[in-house]
Amino acid sequence: EVQLVESGGGLVQAGGSLRLSCTAYGFRVNDYAIGWFRQAPGKEREGVSCISMSDGSIYYDDSVKGRFTISSDAAKNTVYLQMNGLKPEDTGVYYCGKAPPYVSMWYEGVEYDHWGQGTQVTVSS
């Protein structure tokens, strides 16, 4: 059974850091694209970052470039999102999703066929 489990969320002050984990079950993360999305209250879900180890592609939304880093650990079958320099506007529930390895529009949720349950990130000012 395909499953994605996120962890690592929490409450942090502005300027702080968190590392989110997305552990996959039932498939190998290196065979697919794994994306991170977030959803703030009253807002639509938005793509944050995506990694596809099939061709080494990495993508970031402009709002997180230079602050967030996505990486993959094949041995642990886990994708990480290191978040530094957090801002209050980064607050939301963060989800990871699985997409085909050559995802064409990584920022579009429709490309993803499985999602985790989400982890809450709250950044206080």
Side-chain angles (χ1 to χ4, degrees):
E1 179 185 1
V2 171
Q3 273 192 312
L4 295 160
V5 179
E6 303 98 336
S7 62
L11 172 63
V12 64
Q13 288 188 333
S17 299
L18 285 173
R19 187 179 78 158
L20 305 184
S21 299
C22 172
T23 301
Y25 301 90
F27 70 99
R28 298 191 308 175
V29 294
N30 279 7
D31 291 340
Y32 293 88
I34 303 296
W36 283 98
F37 285 69
R38 66 188 178 192
Q39 187 165 22
K43 294 188 177 181
E44 293 188 355
R45 181 179 55 189
E46 62 177 357
V48 175
S49 182
C50 179
I51 185 169
S52 180
M53 294 305 294
S54 60
D55 62 1
S57 297
I58 289 178
Y59 308 95
Y60 296 102
D61 183 75
D62 286 346
S63 65
V64 306
K65 281 181 181 176
R67 300 187 297 123
F68 291 10
T69 303
I70 193 170
S71 62
S72 175
D73 184 334
K76 296 183 177 180
N77 214 30
T78 297
V79 171
Y80 301 99
L81 185 69
Q82 178 66 44
M83 306 187 296
N84 299 329
L86 282 162
K87 304 176 180 179
E89 51 263 43
D90 294 318
T91 294
V93 178
Y94 282 67
Y95 301 90
C96 63
K98 166 183 164 285
Y102 298 103
V103 58
S104 57
M105 293 184 290
W106 69 269
Y107 47 87
E108 293 287 352
V110 293
E111 297 270 0
Y112 297 77
D113 55 21
H114 288 84
W115 295 92
Q117 81 289 351
T119 186
Q120 176 71 46
V121 171
T122 303
V123 184
S124 62
S125 57

